[in-house]
């Protein structure tokens, strides 16, 4: 039964206890380097950028956290909504062998993540980890901090942004801004894949091409 909380002048709300809290965050495919030099690729949605630093929330049992704790090179590949099927092919895979206890029975080991997902690796320009050619935005970065959170099983990784690549159709003429109208990010909403609608407006701080002084 819903335990309602009455809000003055508004609809009532319910107190719930969701198994996950992903109200709507972009899907990022994180590429990293395994101990043997091969590439690992993993989907995630707990990624935020503040200034020139990306902050990632990762499970500590996964291959990605192990890789980033050992070697700093990585690429954050932002998936478009058209790539959701490739992302889902990656979802049940792990680069760890054997499969970690917390993932046993649900995940399977796969060393060729790119091949399994049908994605194309492209060499990074300033890091050893590969980029994903199909992802419209690719951010090369280097880990500056990797630590275990106070919450069991959660790792927090800080990544310095080094170089940003975008598909040509997303690059504004000034080569500083992304053509927002053409960017269709894949969002992860309570374990569902969702696209975005038309632009609703822009913040007063936006400096996209339409608002850049000529």
């Amino acid at each position: 039964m819903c335990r309602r909380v009455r809000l003055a002048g508004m609809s009532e709300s319910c107190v719930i206890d969701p198994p996950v809290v992903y109200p709507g965050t972009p899907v990022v495919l994180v590429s990293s380097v395994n101990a043997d030099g091969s590439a690992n690729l993993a989907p995630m949605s707990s990624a935020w950028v503040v200034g020139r630093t990306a902050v990632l929330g990762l499970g500590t049992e996964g291959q990605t956290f192990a890789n980033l704790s050992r070697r700093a090179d990585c690429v954050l590949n932002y998936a478009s909504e058209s790539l959701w099927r490739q992302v889902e092919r990656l979802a049940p895979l792990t680069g760890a062998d054997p499969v970690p206890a917390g993932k046993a029975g649900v995940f399977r080991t796969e060393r060729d993540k790119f091949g399994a997902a049908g994605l194309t690796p492209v060499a990074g320009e300033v890091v050893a980890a590969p980029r994903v050619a199909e992802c419209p935005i690719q951010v090369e970065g280097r880990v500056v901090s990797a630590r275990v959170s106070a919450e069991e099983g959660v790792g927090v990784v800080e990544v310095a942004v080094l170089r940003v690549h975008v598909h040509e159709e997303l690059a504004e003429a000034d080569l500083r801004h992304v053509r927002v109208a053409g960017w269709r990010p894949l969002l992860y909403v309570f374990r569902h894949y969702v696209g975005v609608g038309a632009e609703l407006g822009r913040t007063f701080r936006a400096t996209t091409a339409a608002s850049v002084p000529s």
Side-chain angles (χ1 to χ4, degrees), residues 8-52:
M10 300 182 186
S11 300
E12 291 183 338
S13 65
C14 281
V15 175
I16 68 171
D17 183 21
V20 295
V21 184
Y22 295 110
T25 48
V27 173
V28 181
L29 302 182
V30 183
S31 49
S32 58
V33 182
N34 295 316
D36 63 2
S38 62
N40 186 62
L41 186 65
M44 63 167 300
S45 62
S46 297
W48 304 269
V49 179
V50 181
R52 302 289 291 184

Side-chain angles (χ1 to χ4, degrees), residues 3-199:
R3 182 167 68 84
R4 293 181 173 84
V5 177
R6 190 174 300 280
L7 303 174
M10 300 182 186
S11 300
E12 291 183 338
S13 65
C14 281
V15 175
I16 68 171
D17 183 21
V20 295
V21 184
Y22 295 110
T25 48
V27 173
V28 181
L29 302 182
V30 183
S31 49
S32 58
V33 182
N34 295 316
D36 63 2
S38 62
N40 186 62
L41 186 65
M44 63 167 300
S45 62
S46 297
W48 304 269
V49 179
V50 181
R52 302 289 291 184
T53 300
V55 181
L56 315 179
L58 296 163
T60 55
E61 281 194 325
Q63 186 71 20
T64 299
F65 185 74
N67 285 351
L68 298 184
S69 297
R70 182 185 61 254
R71 184 166 183 172
D73 294 31
C74 65
V75 181
L76 310 182
N77 302 278
Y78 288 80
S80 61
E81 58 188 24
S82 64
L83 294 175
W84 78 267
R85 289 180 177 84
Q86 288 90 329
V87 172
E88 181 59 16
R89 288 181 202 139
L90 284 170
L93 308 180
T94 177
D97 187 13
V99 176
K103 295 186 174 185
V106 179
F107 291 76
R108 67 176 178 83
T109 298
E110 173 60 62
R111 299 297 284 181
D112 181 14
K113 297 280 198 72
F114 279 89
L119 296 170
T120 309
V122 178
E125 293 183 352
V126 295
V127 299
R131 297 178 282 138
V132 179
E134 291 80 2
C135 287
I137 299 178
Q138 308 147 15
V139 179
E140 296 189 56
R142 187 159 287 124
V143 174
V144 295
S145 172
R147 61 181 176 82
V148 177
S149 168
E151 181 177 347
E152 183 178 358
V154 175
V156 178
V157 179
E158 296 179 36
V159 178
V161 172
L162 301 180
R163 182 163 295 179
V164 179
H165 307 261
V166 301
H167 284 183
E168 186 175 4
E169 63 272 17
L170 289 184
E172 293 284 10
D174 63 1
L175 297 184
R176 292 191 61 243
H177 296 88
V178 171
R179 188 167 292 137
V180 176
W183 172 222
R184 309 288 296 182
L186 178 62
L187 303 179
Y188 194 56
V189 180
F190 294 106
R191 288 182 173 160
H192 292 252
Y193 298 115
V194 177
V196 297
E199 179 182 348

